[in-house]
Amino acid sequence: GEQVEQLPSILRVQEGSSASINCSYEDSASNYFPWYKQEPGENPKLIIDIRSNMERKQIQELIVLLDKKAKRFSLHITDTQPGDSAMYFCAARDPGYQNFYFGKGTSLTVIP
Amino acid sequence: GGIITQTPKFLIGQEGQKLTLKCQQNFNHDTMYWYRQDSGKGLRLIYYSITENDLQKGDLSEGYDASREKKSSFSLTVTSAQKNEMAVFLCASSQGVSNERLFFGHGTKLSVL
């Protein structure tokens, strides 16, 4: 199946700075790339997504970029706040099988 | 809005025991998934089902069985629990081809003694 690599696995940033998480995928047929945030003891929740017909999407402080040629996509959190501290997972969807393949996750800590 | 309910929330089993995890959704979604979450390994797909009575294996299906008894429910069976195994099993659902958003349950935490 699809392989999704996610880096870094651990990220610590100062409050107010930006945080970036990078993912890469192997299957050029993948066409949908969601990002999930999971707070301790909670279920993962969708925070932003991007489809293969777009290169950039922004929702408030969240920006996702997609480079289809390089098969990479990234999440950028601008002006981080302590409430952004959580696990973040990227994923890629295989349209043929309706599967989602997840990265191994990034533990983000925003230091006040 | 809908909800995904997983039962039980915590499951303690013995080595070699057969254990069943249940998942119910009231979104009326077509597709349901079982993922296993291990620390440092992310979410790995065990089984998924695109409609009632359908079953598709994920990358981690060995050692598990699943059953989609009806559209709203999807159960997962650990066929033989492994000693010292500890993981969280997450159930999820999505509408299908037209709407890819995944909704997750809160998980079942498994510990094997």
Side-chain angles (χ1 to χ4, degrees), chain A residues 51 93 95 98, chain B residues 30-31 94-100:
Chain A
R51 300 181 193 281
R93 181 175 182 262
Q98 298 190 43
Chain B
D30 292 319
T31 309
S94 71
Q95 181 55 40
V97 173
S98 60
N99 186 342
E100 303 102 328

Side-chain angles (χ1 to χ4, degrees), chain A residues 1 13 18 25 36 38 41-42 45 47 52 54 56 64-65 67 76 78 90 93 96 105 107-108 112:
Chain A
V13 299
S18 296
Y25 60 100
Y36 285 82
Q38 185 178 28
E42 291 294 319
K45 293 181 176 64
I47 54 172
S52 57
M54 300 174 70
R56 184 183 190 277
V64 288
L65 302 174
D67 182 341
H76 306 272
T78 60
C90 64
R93 181 175 182 262
S107 175
L108 171 65

Side-chain angles (χ1 to χ4, degrees), chain A residues 1-3 31-32 36 38 41-46 51 89 93 97-105, chain B residues 31 33 35 37 40-43 45 48 50 57 59 90 94 96-98 100-106:
Chain A
E2 169 75 284
Q3 297 288 327
N31 64 355
Y32 174 68
Y36 285 82
Q38 185 178 28
E42 291 294 319
N43 52 349
K45 293 181 176 64
L46 179 73
R51 300 181 193 281
F89 295 97
R93 181 175 182 262
Y97 298 96
Q98 298 190 43
N99 282 354
F100 289 84
Y101 292 91
F102 284 81
K104 292 183 179 180
Chain B
T31 309
Y33 307 78
Y35 285 92
Q37 183 173 23
K41 294 185 180 177
L43 281 68
L45 183 66
Y48 70 105
I50 61 175
K57 290 184 178 181
D59 292 336
L90 288 168
S94 71
V97 173
S98 60
E100 303 102 328
R101 178 174 178 170
L102 277 180
F103 291 84
F104 284 90
H106 278 79

